[in-house]
Amino acid sequence: SQQGEEDPQALSIQEGENATMNCSYKTSINNLQWYRQNSGRGLVHLILIRSNEREKHSGRLRVTLDTSKKSSSLLITASRAADTASYFCATDDKAAGNKLTFGGGTRVLVKP
Amino acid sequence: DTEVTQTPKHLVMGMTNKKSLKCEQHMGHRAMYWYKQKAKKPPELMFVYSYEKLSINESVPSRFSPECPNSSLLNLHLHALQPEDSALYLCASSQVWRQGQETQYFGPGTRLLVL
């Protein structure tokens, strides 16, 4: 099973709306990252949040981390058609041999 | 230069062929990675190279053979692949390997089809 499980698996919204996706993980972590992947392309790093941080912002992105619940959320505000992509959370999974482990991903469709 | 390049973009090969995937970065990163990604799935780690030495092999079949000739280059040699090996192969790099805590920079991938 994967360290990170994302919810929802797919999300369809109108341009201008906010998109929220969640990631849950099982073991303790040092940090959690979010990546974006446009269809059939490489992943792009969005943001990293450390285990001692609760919230982080980058442009239209807001990430929260709740280590007591072992969960994180990614909020994209004022979405644009160009935000259409898959979004993956990734953690350093000690139980999996200290490698960067990706969640299942959320596919986001932003309709113009 | 802040990008990771991969060649070729697409590759079709038969099960008896030998081919190689190439990855290059000029960011001075000392860790490089190969991932395999099937459609609608997350990337799965295959290999980690740290300072040109193989640090992690995720029990990958021997028909995949990685090589790191220098700190900028990473190759993946393919031989006698199976149709189920068809996937997007992603290369990534990071400043150093920090056991999963590093930020990784990905190339665009090679789309491989094995017939």
Side-chain angles (χ1 to χ4, degrees):
Chain A
S1 65
Q2 294 179 41
Q3 163 77 325
E5 297 293 339
E6 293 178 66
D7 169 52
Q9 291 188 331
L11 183 59
S12 180
I13 56 175
Q14 293 293 138
E15 210 166 21
E17 293 180 341
N18 295 343
T20 301
M21 60 210 85
N22 304 296
C23 167
S24 60
Y25 56 91
K26 297 186 177 73
T27 64
S28 64
I29 60 171
N30 291 296
N31 62 51
L32 185 144
Q33 304 181 51
W34 285 91
Y35 287 80
R36 183 187 75 227
Q37 183 178 34
N38 291 86
S39 181
R41 305 290 292 170
L43 282 75
V44 174
H45 179 257
L46 296 176
I47 200 163
L48 180 151
I49 187 165
R50 302 190 189 286
S51 59
N52 62 354
E53 296 176 309
R54 292 295 166 259
E55 188 171 312
K56 204 161 182 181
H57 297 256
S58 176
R60 293 183 296 111
L61 305 179
R62 173 178 167 253
V63 168
T64 63
L65 179 64
D66 187 334
T67 53
S68 66
K69 295 181 180 177
K70 291 188 167 57
S71 68
S72 173
S73 68
L74 171 66
L75 167 68
I76 306 172
T77 59
S79 63
R80 304 167 182 169
D83 295 328
T84 293
S86 291
Y87 293 82
F88 294 94
C89 66
T91 59
D92 56 308
D93 182 357
K94 297 181 184 60
N98 295 313
K99 63 185 182 184
L100 189 64
T101 305
F102 290 86
T106 294
R107 294 189 305 280
V108 175
L109 172 63
V110 181
K111 293 179 280 189
Chain B
D1 188 352
T2 58
E3 67 173 339
V4 176
T5 59
Q6 288 187 245
T7 55
K9 290 184 180 175
H10 301 275
L11 179 62
V12 180
M13 60 186 290
M15 288 188 285
T16 59
N17 292 158
K18 286 186 182 179
K19 296 286 184 185
S20 296
L21 308 184
K22 180 179 172 181
C23 174
E24 196 164 2
Q25 57 88 15
H26 295 288
M27 293 180 279
H29 289 175
R30 303 312 298 271
M32 296 186 79
Y33 312 80
W34 279 116
Y35 288 87
K36 173 183 177 180
Q37 186 179 26
K38 299 284 254 185
K40 296 185 179 180
K41 296 290 186 182
E44 294 179 359
L45 182 67
M46 300 174 72
F47 303 103
V48 177
Y49 271 84
S50 177
Y51 291 89
E52 296 94 72
K53 287 188 170 53
L54 185 63
S55 295
I56 292 182
N57 176 343
E58 287 288 294
S59 302
V60 179
S62 60
R63 57 186 184 268
F64 295 92
S65 175
E67 179 197 19
C68 191
N70 59 57
S71 60
S72 300
L73 278 175
L74 186 66
N75 298 319
L76 186 62
H77 303 297
L78 314 173
H79 173 54
L81 294 194
Q82 303 296 311
E84 59 265 29
D85 296 321
S86 298
L88 181 68
Y89 287 84
L90 294 163
C91 174
S93 70
S94 64
Q95 284 188 337
V96 292
W97 177 51
R98 292 183 60 216
Q99 298 185 324
Q101 300 176 53
E102 66 283 343
T103 293
Q104 296 187 13
Y105 297 80
F106 283 80
T110 293
R111 176 79 57 191
L112 174 66
L113 177 61
V114 182
L115 299 176

